[in-house]
Amino acid sequence: AVAFLAQAAPDMAADARAALADEALAILTTPGFADLFGPGSRAEVPLVGTIAGAGGPRVVSAQVDRLLVTPARIVIVDYKTNRPPPEDAAQVPAAYLRQMAAYRALLGDIYPGRAIDAVLIWTWGARLMPLGNDILDRHAP
């Protein structure tokens, strides 16, 4: 990771590159995140479709940071870099909640009958924050 960053960001201070590498590796090695990086998961998944919205149909075109697909459930993951991150889901910026609610709506149409979980991974501190259906329902398109 340090070698990659040295090549990709040669003007960044070495200690800043090392800190960034540590942050990324902490996410990949956190035991509670293992399923998100294991079989059935994919990175940078394009997502395009039309969902029903309060004002009529709405087109969604996005790239999901990480997507886990199993026979029983779908997990949508979005990385966020806020420093410091919010302490709980009630403090998450509304724009992030609207984004995840739109992803959930579209994936619900693509994968009917499966549970859909939406989570944010805060890169600072390698913290996973589930977003409950109650909060996403309030930000649905």
Side-chain angles (χ1 to χ4, degrees):
V2 172
F4 170 80
L5 289 170
Q7 184 178 19
D11 296 334
M12 183 183 285
D15 61 337
R17 287 194 306 261
L20 190 57
D22 288 345
E23 194 172 281
L25 293 173
I27 290 168
L28 295 174
T29 59
T30 298
F33 298 177
D35 287 351
L36 303 177
F37 298 100
S41 70
R42 296 186 314 171
E44 302 297 327
V45 178
L47 188 62
V48 178
T50 304
I51 57 176
R58 183 171 149 202
V59 174
V60 174
S61 177
Q63 189 141 333
V64 176
D65 290 341
R66 194 105 200 138
L67 187 66
L68 172 62
V69 177
T70 74
R73 74 180 185 133
I74 307 299
V75 182
I76 311 159
V77 179
D78 199 58
Y79 301 114
K80 298 297 183 193
T81 59
N82 300 46
R83 294 175 186 270
E87 290 297 318
D88 60 53
Q91 298 170 331
V92 171
Y96 296 169
L97 298 173
R98 286 190 301 270
Q99 170 193 9
M100 296 301 276
Y103 293 175
R104 181 187 64 162
L106 186 53
L107 287 163
D109 289 343
I110 295 169
Y111 296 102
R114 296 191 205 186
I116 299 179
D117 299 319
V119 298
L120 298 176
I121 292 181
W122 301 102
T123 60
W124 195 58
R127 197 163 48 101
L128 187 136
M129 180 181 285
L131 302 173
N133 286 330
D134 57 333
I135 197 164
L136 292 180
D137 288 347
R138 291 193 303 269
H139 292 85

